[in-house]
Amino acid sequence: MTPTDRQLGRFRDIIEAYRSYIVALVVVVVFALTTFAIYNLTTEVSYDDVIEALGNTRWSAIGLAVFFTMLSFAALVGYDMNALAYIGRTLPFMPVAMTAFSAYAVGNTAGFGALSGGAIRFRAYSRLGLSPDDIGRVIAFVTLAFGIGLLAVTALASLVTAPRIGAILGADGGWIRAGAILIIIMLSVLVISGRDGRTISIGSLSIRLPDTRTSSQQFLITALDIAASASVLYVLLPQTNIGWPSFLAIYATAVGLGVLSHVPAGLGVFETVIIAALGNTVSIDQVLGSLVLYRVVYHVLPLLIATLVVIGVEIRQLAHHPVASTLRKLEFRLVPPLLAAFAIIAGAMLIFSSVTPTPDSDLNFLSNYLSLPFVEGAHFLSSILGLILFVAARGIGQRLDGAWWTGMVCTALALVFAFVRAIAPFEAIFLVILLVGLFLSAKQFNRRASLFGQVLSPSWIAAMLIIVATAVTVLLFVYREVEYSHELWWQFEFSEEAPRGLRAVLGLAIFAASISFYSLLRPATRRSPPSTADDLGRAIQIVMAQDNADANLVRMGDKRLMFSESGRAFLMYGIQGRSWIALFDPVGPQEETADLVWRFVEEARSRGGRAVFYQISPGLLSHCADAGLRAFRLGELAIIDLSHFDLKGGRLAGLRQAVNKGMREGLEFSVIDAPEVMASIEELRQVSDAWLAEHNTREKTFSLGAFRDDYVASQSVAALRKEGRIVAFATLLITDTKQEGTVDLMRFSPEAPKGSMDFLFVKVMEYLRDAGYAHFNLGMAPLSGMSTREVALAWDRIGSVVFEHGERFYNFKGLKAFKSKFHPTWEPRYLAVAGGVSPAIVMMDATLLIGGGLRGVVGK
């Protein structure tokens, strides 16, 4: 490797390590530039002009805007229905419609639609029976369909209106038309190529294109969506000589740039494009007023409706209504993210209202009943409450009880202040809805976690800074004519609103900076204390009373333990670097699972680590998603139904021949009960040492057992003898429920006949079957079942390539082939990691943990 390659490698490592911070910084910079552009574009516009433009908007125009919003969201539901048809799954319409409506309502408000809306889809669709792979394909389909459809609609509209758009933008209409034609040709080739649902390859990426029918349906859905949403803004604009087709092209471009900017809801970017494009033909103050109404009608109103629906579902009187009964299936999944998005809007509303003037009539009325300090204090504190509510929204989405209490208290205080600092009935109604929603859903906020023990992620810090920067920009715009002086800070009068806004924004800036610095200067990694012998004894008792045989790995004593508050469940984990890696699903009653998952994530974060769940079942993924973790497929677990395991017939003829061969060679199978194992421990150790030496490897830990006397003797051992000598053995892992059995250590001496592994496995399965066990866990085939579909993540595609061609490093295909001989049922297993963390980094930490550090990995 050349020095240049090493430098590039280090640079890539730095970029990967700080990617989330870099992205957040870029988003803030993009927003700052667009905000500066808007401020310069509106130099001749006053706040009073904008308010007047808002007041002059016809109610008929607002009614039409609401109608087109309904039409747009109806089309958005079509995205999900078409996606489900594309993956070949059918779900009831009402839950799908509610899920899609809520996902878009939250995604339009919070931004990052593929993530925020995708999280809602994952929560809801997993409850409706879709697998994580299917949900991922749905999210990918709706995301790509919107992007491609937006491009197609923009190109078609630009093709027709190129001269007009060129005149508006000051560009050559011929070039605009040429670009539109090129885009249409490319998209047409794509549609024709996929007319039969065929798969195309682009490098190492394979994509199954939708067939002609699906493509046609999706184009119509996207065209209806964009046309309807563009019409929302178009009808709110004053009379203009810009035709609707030209406006459609401008609108689609603004939406596309807003999405690409990654700024939450495209805030600022969308407005800049619209103002720049229409400023020469429509009064800018009227455009600003229309944009404000557009945000309210198209973004806030759907979120308000979605929240009211789930509140209605909470009311017991509706519990027996057929529609409400259907929606209650999704209620648990939808309420927290909807309330979180609603809290974001409420917080932003309080912040922005603190930097805008209060009507003179309201101030005159308040001056007759309240003293000035009450009004000043309420004004200042409302802005701080808004920021606290914005920050608490993250915890509300994660169902933290501390966030619930914070939201309730802040909303209640803000509701009181809405009538102390101004007579704000609409603001009060909004806060009442949030307060009622939080109150009725109190039972769902059952995660005991410290809200202030959490640190905000870079994306949340960026969003918070954007809100504060927006407030500063609004303040400067509103009081553009006010000449700044130091005396403004100390002016306290009912009529002096600029000083009031200055003090509010200063408090916001200080509070936001404090939160940001606290989050960025997070505590260094601190390890939790090791578990004690008493903890291990309690854990073993829990293991024996449940079904997961692999949980017996806790007997190794090399893992830390975290118990539920009741003490009836636990999870085991290890720490490598900053990764806190939990092994398997939590062990114990299912009702304890959600709390344990969240407590583990909370503990890892509070100590400067990142939470990881390793080799988990699909059943745990929804809990991981609630805690903000992303799932990646690791492989497949082979499960044998022992009630149907029989060597008779042709299906297992190869295994029957292996058993017969072993018996002819003098192999004898027996099970050494746990109390008798120590009597044979030296003989077992000889076999183990010979196996390690032959394979030139070291003992592994964490997800595998190691040969230690206490561990080997903790349960029964299956042994193969030849001429009275043990030549192979396997430690048995079983529980008292007899639901599942498995093996851990499998060691063979060089003298063991060929085929002894097949012989031993068959005999162990027959022994467990005869003892009344229901299933045999044959272990995981790593990287097996990784998706190669068009929507597969890069992780899956890389994993599938390694599975096919990685024999040099590990016999992936050979292990899968060996287990397939037993005709098992394959169940997926996953890795769940904190959002923004590369799974490759986490897997390296897991490898080091299993191998006993770098020396263990390098030395096998």
Side-chain angles (χ1 to χ4, degrees):
M1 181 179 290
T2 65
T4 302
D5 292 336
R6 285 194 293 269
Q7 290 177 353
L8 288 174
R10 285 195 293 268
F11 179 74
R12 284 193 295 268
D13 292 341
I14 292 173
I15 293 296
E16 180 64 30
Y18 295 99
R19 181 177 58 182
S20 58
Y21 296 95
I22 294 172
V23 171
L25 179 61
V26 169
V27 168
V28 173
V29 170
V30 168
F31 177 79
L33 292 174
T34 56
T35 301
F36 182 74
I38 290 179
Y39 188 78
N40 286 333
L41 287 170
T42 58
T43 52
E44 302 300 325
V45 180
S46 70
Y47 175 75
D48 292 335
D49 293 335
V50 176
I51 296 300
E52 183 181 356
L54 280 171
N56 291 334
T57 303
R58 302 183 311 274
W59 282 103
S60 59
I62 296 175
L64 278 174
V66 172
F67 169 75
F68 284 121
T69 298
M70 295 169 57
L71 196 60
S72 175
F73 272 81
L76 291 174
V77 172
Y79 279 83
D80 282 55
M81 297 301 296
N82 211 29
L84 291 169
Y86 171 70
I87 68 172
R89 297 300 301 271
T90 302
L91 294 176
F93 174 77
M94 186 56 70
V96 172
M98 186 60 198
T99 299
F101 183 82
S102 301
Y104 286 111
V106 172
N108 289 344
T109 300
F112 304 100
L115 298 178
S116 55
I120 289 181
R121 287 187 177 91
F122 195 97
R123 290 181 174 101
Y125 287 147
S126 61
R127 193 174 182 86
L128 294 173
L130 288 191
S131 69
D133 287 345
D134 285 340
I135 298 172
R137 295 168 68 196
V138 168
I139 295 171
F141 181 93
V142 298
T143 303
L144 292 174
F146 175 76
I148 294 174
L150 182 66
L151 193 62
V153 171
T154 306
L156 288 172
S158 300
L159 183 64
V160 177
T161 62
R164 179 60 176 159
I165 295 174
I168 294 173
L169 301 180
D172 189 341
W175 284 108
I176 293 176
R177 180 165 286 164
I181 292 173
L182 180 61
I183 292 172
I184 292 171
I185 291 173
M186 293 173 60
L187 293 178
S188 298
V189 170
L190 193 65
V191 171
I192 294 172
S193 300
R195 61 187 180 278
D196 299 319
R198 68 181 61 179
T199 299
I200 64 172
S201 296
I202 305 174
S204 60
L205 176 63
S206 295
I207 302 176
R208 182 175 71 84
L209 298 175
D211 57 33
T212 305
R213 179 181 178 182
T214 303
S215 299
S216 302
Q217 287 178 342
Q218 189 55 54
F219 174 75
L220 292 175
I221 290 171
T222 307
L224 176 61
D225 163 37
I226 297 172
S229 59
S231 298
V232 175
L233 179 55
Y234 189 73
V235 299
L236 292 173
L237 288 169
Q239 293 296 326
T240 173
N241 57 359
I242 296 178
W244 184 83
S246 299
F247 179 78
L248 177 63
I250 295 170
Y251 176 86
T253 302
V255 170
L257 291 175
V259 171
L260 291 176
S261 71
H262 290 300
V263 174
L267 186 64
V269 180
F270 175 83
E271 283 78 3
T272 301
V273 176
I274 296 295
I275 292 172
L278 303 184
N280 295 329
T281 58
V282 183
S283 174
I284 294 181
D285 56 337
Q286 294 178 322
V287 175
L288 283 174
S290 299
L291 285 170
V292 171
L293 276 177
Y294 166 79
R295 288 288 187 180
V296 172
V297 173
Y298 193 74
H299 290 251
V300 177
L301 183 60
L303 181 63
L304 178 63
I305 292 173
T307 305
L308 288 174
V309 168
V310 295
I311 289 174
V313 173
E314 284 280 354
I315 300 175
R316 297 298 180 184
Q317 290 90 324
L318 296 179
H320 301 295
H321 191 281
V323 174
S325 178
T326 303
L327 294 181
R328 283 192 66 85
K329 298 177 182 178
L330 299 178
E331 168 224 4
F332 175 78
R333 299 294 182 189
L334 297 183
V335 168
L338 281 173
L339 288 177
F342 208 80
I344 289 175
I345 293 294
M349 176 185 65
L350 291 172
I351 290 172
F352 296 150
S353 65
S354 69
V355 296
T356 53
T358 303
D360 292 337
S361 58
D362 290 356
L363 287 176
N364 292 333
F365 177 82
L366 291 172
S367 63
N368 295 325
Y369 299 96
L370 297 173
S371 61
L372 180 61
F374 280 104
V375 176
E376 292 281 358
H379 197 93
F380 182 82
L381 291 176
S382 289
S383 64
I384 303 299
L385 289 173
L387 190 60
I388 294 174
L389 198 57
F390 183 90
V391 174
R394 179 172 180 262
I396 290 173
Q398 296 170 341
R399 297 192 289 118
L400 299 183
D401 58 351
W404 182 86
W405 278 108
T406 301
M408 288 287 291
V409 172
C410 288
T411 305
L413 288 175
L415 180 60
V416 174
F417 292 158
F419 295 100
V420 174
R421 62 181 175 81
I423 309 301
F426 292 107
E427 185 176 305
I429 291 172
F430 207 86
L431 292 170
V432 166
I433 293 173
L434 177 59
L435 195 64
V436 171
L438 288 170
F439 177 77
L440 291 176
S441 58
K443 61 182 182 299
Q444 297 188 20
F445 294 86
N446 53 6
R447 289 177 173 166
R448 289 191 172 181
S450 171
L451 174 65
F452 300 103
Q454 293 286 299
V455 289
L456 294 181
S457 63
S459 59
W460 271 91
I461 293 175
M464 181 178 63
L465 293 179
I466 285 173
I467 290 293
V468 175
T470 303
V472 173
T473 306
V474 171
L475 177 75
L476 295 176
F477 171 76
V478 170
Y479 301 108
R480 193 194 297 268
E481 289 83 10
V482 177
E483 198 170 320
Y484 176 79
S485 65
H486 294 297
E487 287 74 19
L488 286 175
W489 296 100
W490 312 109
Q491 292 180 4
F492 294 92
E493 297 290 342
F494 270 103
S495 59
E496 297 296 337
E497 299 210 65
R500 197 172 295 135
L502 275 175
R503 289 187 289 269
V505 86
L506 176 63
L508 282 173
I510 294 174
F511 200 79
S514 301
I515 296 174
S516 300
F517 281 120
Y518 173 77
S519 297
L520 292 174
L521 302 177
R522 63 185 63 187
T525 303
R526 295 177 288 119
R527 299 194 172 216
S528 60
S531 300
T532 64
D534 290 341
D535 292 336
L536 183 60
R538 291 167 56 200
I540 292 174
Q541 289 181 352
I542 295 172
V543 168
M544 296 306 293
Q546 53 82 55
D547 299 335
N548 182 10
D550 274 332
N552 278 287
L553 282 170
V554 74
R555 297 174 184 270
M556 275 286 293
D558 61 339
K559 290 170 276 291
R560 289 172 165 80
L561 304 175
M562 176 180 288
F563 290 89
S564 63
E565 290 192 6
S566 68
R568 297 188 300 136
F570 74 94
L571 56 77
M572 46 187 160
Y573 66 98
I575 301 176
Q576 177 64 44
R578 288 189 56 226
S579 296
W580 288 44
I581 306 176
L583 182 63
F584 308 137
D585 295 11
V587 183
Q590 289 188 356
E591 58 268 23
E592 307 274 343
T593 297
D595 178 63
L596 264 176
V597 169
W598 178 251
R599 284 184 54 214
F600 178 71
V601 173
E602 164 96 348
E603 182 73 7
R605 288 174 179 167
S606 67
R607 294 178 181 267
R610 51 180 171 240
V612 180
F613 286 85
Y614 184 69
Q615 291 192 30
I616 58 175
S617 70
L620 196 69
L621 293 182
S622 60
H623 299 295
C624 292
D626 286 342
L629 307 184
R630 294 182 62 199
F632 300 87
R633 192 163 183 143
L634 276 180
E636 293 179 300
L637 190 73
I639 302 293
I640 307 294
D641 184 353
L642 292 178
S643 64
H644 295 91
F645 182 74
D646 197 326
L647 295 183
K648 296 178 182 179
R651 196 165 70 107
L652 300 179
L655 295 176
R656 185 170 63 249
Q657 293 172 6
V659 171
N660 292 335
K661 180 176 177 292
M663 295 178 68
R664 289 195 301 270
E665 293 182 352
L667 289 178
E668 298 177 352
F669 172 81
S670 63
V671 173
I672 308 172
D673 293 331
E676 310 298 328
V677 170
M678 287 304 296
S680 304
I681 198 70
E682 291 303 324
E683 194 173 3
L684 296 172
R685 191 192 319 279
Q686 292 175 10
V687 173
S688 177
D689 291 345
W691 184 85
L692 291 172
E694 182 181 10
H695 290 80
N696 188 28
T697 190
R698 297 159 50 98
E699 293 281 14
K700 303 294 190 270
T701 58
F702 190 60
S703 65
L704 299 168
F707 193 98
R708 289 196 339 217
D709 292 5
D710 56 345
Y711 176 68
V712 174
S714 64
Q715 288 202 302
S716 301
V717 175
L720 289 185
R721 287 183 170 86
K722 183 176 181 181
E723 298 176 355
R725 294 178 56 248
I726 296 178
V727 295
F729 73 88
T731 56
L732 298 182
L733 304 182
I734 56 177
T735 70
D736 292 339
T737 66
K738 293 191 175 183
Q739 183 64 27
E740 181 183 83
T742 188
V743 298
D744 179 26
L745 290 177
M746 286 194 66
R747 303 288 162 89
F748 297 81
S749 70
E751 293 80 18
K754 185 178 181 181
S756 295
M757 181 178 290
D758 290 354
F759 185 93
L760 181 57
F761 264 114
V762 170
K763 289 299 181 181
V764 167
M765 290 182 203
E766 290 180 337
Y767 168 79
L768 293 175
R769 178 198 63 195
D770 296 340
Y773 286 83
H775 300 93
F776 182 77
N777 177 351
L778 201 54
M780 193 174 75
L783 304 184
S784 170
M786 305 292 274
S787 177
T788 59
R789 293 167 177 153
E790 68 278 8
V791 296
L793 299 172
W795 170 266
D796 291 78
R797 296 196 297 271
I798 294 171
S800 63
V801 171
V802 173
F803 180 81
E804 290 293 332
H805 308 289
E807 292 88 350
R808 178 180 176 185
F809 307 101
Y810 188 85
N811 190 17
F812 296 102
K813 294 179 70 175
L815 182 60
K816 175 71 178 287
F818 169 77
K819 296 183 178 186
S820 295
K821 293 190 300 185
F822 295 86
H823 297 280
T825 299
W826 295 99
E827 295 183 358
R829 287 297 179 267
Y830 295 90
L831 172 78
V833 302
V837 179
S838 169
I841 294 176
V842 170
M843 279 303 299
M844 178 58 70
D845 285 341
T847 302
L848 292 172
L849 190 59
I850 295 168
L854 182 61
R855 180 181 176 186
V857 173
V858 174
K860 293 190 176 181

